[in-house]
Amino acid sequence: MIEEAYVLLTAWQAALWHGFLVFVRVSTAVSLVPAFGQSFVPPRIKLGVAFAFTMIVAPAIPAFDAPEPTLPSTAWFCLTEACAGLIIGVSLRMFILALQTAGSIAAQSTSLAQLLGGAGEPMPAIGHLLMVSAIALAFTMGMHVHLAGMFIGSYMLFPAGVFPVAEVLAEWGVSHIASAFALAFKLSAPFILVSALYNLMLGVINRAMPQLMVAFVGAPLITFGGLAILMLTAGTIITVWWSLFEAFMINPAEGML
């Protein structure tokens, strides 16, 4: 009877140790991923989401080759798992930052930067609209399922208890950040093109008629043009963003583009 109780206690201790290590990685990533990691999401909701993902991921991960849960081993594994979760969370967060940057570029190009600014997170209204739309589409398309698969597959890229190689991580991180800014520029390209044509047209008119206040005449035109372009391209922008985001969650070893 005592031996059976000891075996059961040992199994429970191993299961709790295993689940705790998974929770450290998952909770760190959940605090940064799009949707779940937004600033307007309460911390208790984030904690509940992290616990739910832990219940999904932990049974799918083989038992770690880890020593007994002593203070040094606990500190070491907490540090490595938090580092892995931070890398995962930041890499996913770059997608929402790319979308917000695209919205800021579009708003600055079309003189809409101050329209309804500061809704939720401090950003122009176009960036906020694109971000909310992208999050809604991501949930509709099953982002949580892809996230669970990415968390499970992350143990192949970042084994438990092992720090990532600094050189590889630096090269991958720099390329990922560069791809994020390139993506932001590509998504906002229609607004930049229209802004360039608008300013060129104003320059020609001002050269031909210096007495005319072309800035006041053209302000309603660029505002209407920016809103019209947003109406025509918002669906395409969100669709392209989701396709890249989904591809990255399926294969995070590849870059963003």
Side-chain angles (χ1 to χ4, degrees):
M1 186 68 179
I2 297 178
E3 294 180 357
E4 294 177 355
Y6 177 76
V7 172
L8 182 61
L9 180 62
T10 304
W12 272 104
Q13 182 180 6
L16 291 175
W17 175 238
H18 178 78
F20 171 74
L21 296 181
V22 173
F23 178 78
V24 172
R25 175 178 296 201
V26 170
S27 60
T28 306
V30 166
S31 64
L32 294 171
V33 297
F36 299 120
Q38 301 302 127
S39 60
F40 50 79
V41 178
R44 289 176 292 182
I45 301 299
K46 296 179 182 178
L47 184 62
V49 171
F51 182 76
F53 273 117
T54 302
M55 299 298 293
I56 297 172
V57 175
I61 302 299
F64 302 138
D65 186 12
E68 293 295 327
T70 59
L71 181 59
S73 62
T74 301
W76 173 260
F77 274 90
C78 285
L79 188 61
T80 57
E81 294 306 292
C83 180
L86 182 64
I87 295 172
I88 297 170
V90 169
S91 62
L92 292 173
R93 189 71 178 177
M94 290 302 298
F95 280 88
I96 206 71
L97 291 178
L99 197 61
Q100 293 174 353
T101 303
S104 298
I105 295 174
Q108 293 288 345
S109 301
T110 56
S111 302
L112 296 174
Q114 303 301 323
L115 178 63
L116 299 177
E121 296 183 357
M123 73 182 79
I126 294 181
H128 184 73
L129 177 63
L130 293 178
M131 183 194 70
V132 174
S133 303
I135 291 175
L137 178 63
F139 275 117
T140 304
M141 300 301 291
M143 182 187 71
H144 54 288
V145 178
H146 292 292
L147 281 179
M150 184 178 181
F151 291 151
I152 295 172
S154 67
Y155 286 91
M156 299 179 63
L157 294 175
F158 310 111
V162 178
F163 274 109
V165 180
E167 293 79 5
V168 176
L169 182 61
E171 182 180 357
W172 178 82
V174 170
S175 63
H176 194 64
I177 294 174
S179 298
F181 281 101
L183 175 62
F185 182 80
K186 290 179 180 180
L187 295 180
S188 59
F191 299 90
I192 298 174
L193 180 60
V194 169
S195 177
L197 294 176
Y198 164 78
N199 287 283
L200 179 62
M201 179 188 68
L202 287 189
V204 173
I205 296 175
N206 188 46
R207 186 71 175 177
M209 303 176 61
Q211 297 81 10
L212 180 64
M213 301 295 293
V214 292
F216 292 100
V217 176
L221 178 62
I222 189 61
T223 301
F224 175 78
L227 295 177
I229 295 173
L230 179 64
M231 180 184 66
L232 295 174
T233 62
T236 303
I237 290 174
I238 300 303
T239 303
V240 171
W241 177 86
W242 166 250
S243 63
L244 295 174
F245 187 49
E246 182 183 26
F248 181 79
M249 288 189 291
I250 295 175
N251 187 10
E254 296 293 334
M256 183 179 295
L257 299 180

